[in-house]
């Protein structure tokens, strides 16, 4: 079944006598036992809920995983993931990382005795250089947020397997529609479902998808114990959002390519970071491991004043945090997504007062260009 069809029909459950084509919202906290030692398969919604189960099934199918676990937010998913590790364990992590994950690793995980090496994972030799006996996993974003660095997933998977390490891939930016890390050797795939999977900026969610049942069993124990499962209503919203994932991703990418080229030719724009541009250093790897380039663009303008002016003057484009929805959003990473990253570290990565990030939506591209044009001046 083609992935675009799977997005629409993958969560269907025809066992209900009503014939409803949508999955019901089981807004229930607990479930009746038929008798002692008997169960319907559902006991308490923290453990599992029928609506959550359906969205987990569709995400697992889309990522070709053994299982998927749905969480209340993307960060709840990453937090639960870190419970796989213990005091003294070491992880190698992409050095250009979503600010919330950076905050979790530096302020929570390190406090709990886990250590990290933050490296440029697009350079395999750097990854190899930082492996030590305490290393348990390699954690990558690709493309990274916000500098759009691309890591060769298959190459890092080979390194991970040779050293008996888990490979964890945050696939939020490209989604399973464009990229399937498990097929490239990943053991666990992360999604902030809030973003493209939902697609409408109206709910929060997160997912962990596992390659094996063994990893699923470990994570399900953590999932039920820590208690950050996705609610029934939000699970239903996710199912509804995924139905249009394919057409949204195609339209957003179409707009992003046109917008990236327009930005590249604007006199006040100095650099454009979009993996779909042939000039991007990760372009060829992206073509090899993904079916598309997505719709995330970061770019640098000539001055801080230009950046502030643009954010103040946009009308159609919305100055707001988050990404992946049908609306085009523009973000100021140094003040928003990466505000908690120390200034020296942030600027060393290029995240400064001139850097902006756009999540391109599905509006008419000419309207987006007109709006950004008048805002840039």
């Amino acid at each position: 079944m083609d992935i675009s069809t799977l997005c629409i029909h993958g969560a269907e459950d025809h066992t209900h006598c009503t014939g409803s084509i949508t999955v019901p919202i089981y807004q229930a906290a607990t479930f009746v036992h038929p008798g002692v030692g008997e169960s319907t398969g559902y006991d308490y919604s923290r453990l599992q809920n029928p609506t959550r189960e359906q969205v987990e099934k569709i995400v697992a199918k889309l990522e070709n995983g053994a299982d998927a676990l749905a969480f209340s937010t993307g960060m709840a998913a990453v937090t639960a993931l870190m419970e796989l590790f213990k005091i003294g364990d070491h992880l190698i992590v992409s050095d250009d990382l979503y600010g919330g994950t950076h905050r979790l690793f530096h302020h929570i995980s390190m406090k709990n005795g886990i250590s990290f090496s933050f490296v440029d994972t697009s350079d395999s030799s750097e990854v190899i250089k930082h492996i030590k006996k305490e290393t348990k996993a390699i954690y990558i974003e690709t493309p990274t947020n916000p500098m759009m660095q691309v890591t060769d997933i298959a190459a890092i998977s080979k390194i991970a397997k040779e050293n008996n390490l888990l490979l964890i891939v945050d696939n939020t930016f490209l989604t399973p529609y464009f990229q399937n890390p498990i097929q490239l050797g990943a053991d666990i795939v992360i999604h902030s479902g809030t973003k493209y999977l939902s697609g409408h900026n109206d709910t929060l969610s997160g997912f962990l998808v596992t390659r094996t049942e063994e990893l699923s069993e470990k994570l399900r124990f953590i999932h039920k114990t820590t208690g950050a499962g996705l609610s029934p209503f939000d699970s239903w919203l996710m199912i509804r959002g995924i139905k249009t994932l394919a057409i949204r991703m195609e339209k957003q990418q179409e707009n992003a390519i046109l917008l990236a080229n327009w930005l590249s030719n604007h006199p006040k724009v100095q650099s454009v970071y979009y993996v779909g541009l042939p000039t991007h250093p990760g372009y060829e790897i992206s073509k090899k491991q993904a079916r598309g380039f997505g719709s995330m663009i970061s770019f640098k303008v000539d001055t801080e004043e230009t950046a502030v002016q643009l954010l103040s003057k946009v009308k159609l484009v919305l100055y707001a945090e988050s990404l992946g929805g049908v609306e085009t959003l523009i973000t100021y990473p140094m003040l928003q997504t990466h505000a908690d990253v120390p200034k020296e570290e942030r600027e060393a990565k290029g995240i400064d007062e001139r850097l902006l990030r756009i999540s391109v939506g599905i509006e008419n591209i000419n309207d987006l260009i007109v709006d950004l044009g008048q805002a840039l001046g």
Side-chain angles (χ1 to χ4, degrees), residues 126-146:
E126 281 296 307
V127 174
I128 294 169
K129 190 188 303 181
H130 286 84
I131 295 172
K132 49 189 177 181
K133 67 179 188 303
E134 297 86 9
T135 307
K136 302 299 179 185
I138 303 170
Y139 182 113
I140 64 175
E141 284 183 11
T142 184
T144 59
N145 181 5

Side-chain angles (χ1 to χ4, degrees), residues 92 131 135-138 159-161 163-167 187:
I92 297 168
I131 295 172
T135 307
K136 302 299 179 185
I138 303 170
I159 294 167
K161 285 176 170 52
N163 291 275
N164 196 30
L165 307 176
L166 288 175
L167 175 57
D187 297 293

Side-chain angles (χ1 to χ4, degrees), residues 317-335:
V317 176
L318 304 174
Y319 174 25
E321 214 156 324
S322 199
L323 59 100
V326 294
E327 302 90 355
T328 297
L329 304 183
I330 189 163
T331 300
Y332 205 15
M334 64 169 283
L335 293 182

